[in-house]
Amino acid sequence: MRALAAALVVTLASITPAGAQQVPADAPPVLIVDSDRLYQESRYGQQIRANLDTNAEALKAENDRIVAALTEEERSLTLRRPTMPAADFRQEAADFDTKVQGIRRARDAKEVALQNARLTAQKDFFAQVQGVVGQLMIEKGATVTFDQRSVFIALLSADITEEAIARIDAQFVDADGSAPSDVPALSEVPPSAVPSDIVPPATVPGPQDAPAQDSGALPVLDPENP
């Protein structure tokens, strides 16, 4: 759909004056802007997304550490199982499962917080740059600016995306090329979103020749099947 819209813009731009309908000279111009490009191509938008990506990488690393520790703890309990009374194993397995479920809730809360941070950052970006686009619109004597996604056909000269990107970076990016870092880190997730009593467990030593388990998901033991 976006490719078709772009093709229509180019096609209209190539129409000769003889085949084009004349626009009244006193008609105020109508402008278009590609909002996706504003966020993707401006240095300001790129910096915001880079901060979010850093948070996502930190969360993944934290998850990997937790999964590895829990997998080792599960392995240790499994290896001790043949020598344990059934009742003791069931209790330890139940305690382990409670820990895993609590950590899973904490992980899910941080994943949701990261997704919400992405949505909020993008929303804040457009709220901040709206004034830049508005100033360009006033300077060009226009009365309205449409997003390219809602435009069926337009002259190339109506597109102010490149100008808007340059203005955004000039206003929001510092002289050294960096933009303000105001995206919250995952460590700043509100305490209510993550249980305060959940911490990454210490690694439980086990025999070195025990088979390794997949670290892609949290391990689960069945306390009812000793």
Side-chain angles (χ1 to χ4, degrees), residues 4-216:
L4 174 59
L8 288 171
V9 170
V10 173
T11 300
L12 184 57
S14 64
I15 294 177
T16 61
Q21 184 176 357
Q22 295 297 318
V23 178
D26 59 348
V30 173
L31 305 175
I32 60 174
V33 67
D34 188 333
S35 60
D36 287 342
R37 287 185 59 200
L38 296 186
Y39 193 53
Q40 296 294 326
E41 298 181 17
S42 68
R43 286 185 294 165
Y44 185 45
Q46 290 169 359
Q47 180 65 41
I48 291 173
R49 298 198 316 281
N51 292 339
L52 290 164
D53 290 343
T54 297
N55 288 345
E57 291 171 3
L59 178 59
K60 182 181 183 302
E62 179 185 70
N63 287 345
D64 290 344
R65 288 193 300 271
I66 291 174
V67 169
L70 288 175
T71 299
E72 187 66 23
E73 186 172 347
E74 180 196 34
R75 182 179 67 169
S76 175
L77 182 55
T78 300
L79 291 173
R80 290 185 289 111
R81 179 176 180 177
T83 63
M84 297 175 63
D88 291 348
F89 174 79
R90 281 195 295 268
Q91 183 59 54
E92 285 199 36
D95 293 343
F96 179 77
D97 182 64
T98 298
K99 178 192 292 185
V100 169
Q101 295 304 321
I103 292 174
R104 179 176 287 114
R105 288 193 298 272
R107 287 176 59 186
D108 290 346
K110 286 196 172 186
E111 291 284 359
V112 170
L114 179 59
Q115 292 303 316
N116 288 340
R118 289 190 184 280
L119 293 174
T120 299
Q122 187 170 7
K123 179 180 177 181
D124 290 346
F125 170 85
F126 287 116
Q128 289 176 313
V129 306
Q130 189 177 48
V132 173
V133 177
Q135 182 60 38
L136 270 173
M137 182 180 71
I138 293 172
E139 292 174 9
K140 293 179 179 295
T143 57
V144 65
T145 299
F146 290 105
D147 190 293
Q148 189 182 52
R149 290 171 296 184
S150 63
V151 174
F152 180 69
I153 193 168
L155 292 169
L156 285 175
S157 59
D159 191 335
I160 61 169
T161 302
E162 291 288 348
E163 291 179 80
I165 289 174
R167 289 281 188 95
I168 289 168
D169 288 339
Q171 180 168 333
F172 294 103
V173 178
D174 297 334
D176 62 357
S178 63
S181 178
D182 55 1
V183 178
L186 266 295
S187 60
E188 297 175 28
V189 175
S192 59
V194 181
S196 59
D197 58 339
I198 299 300
V199 295
T203 300
V204 177
Q208 297 303 311
D209 57 349
Q213 298 190 18
D214 182 8
S215 61

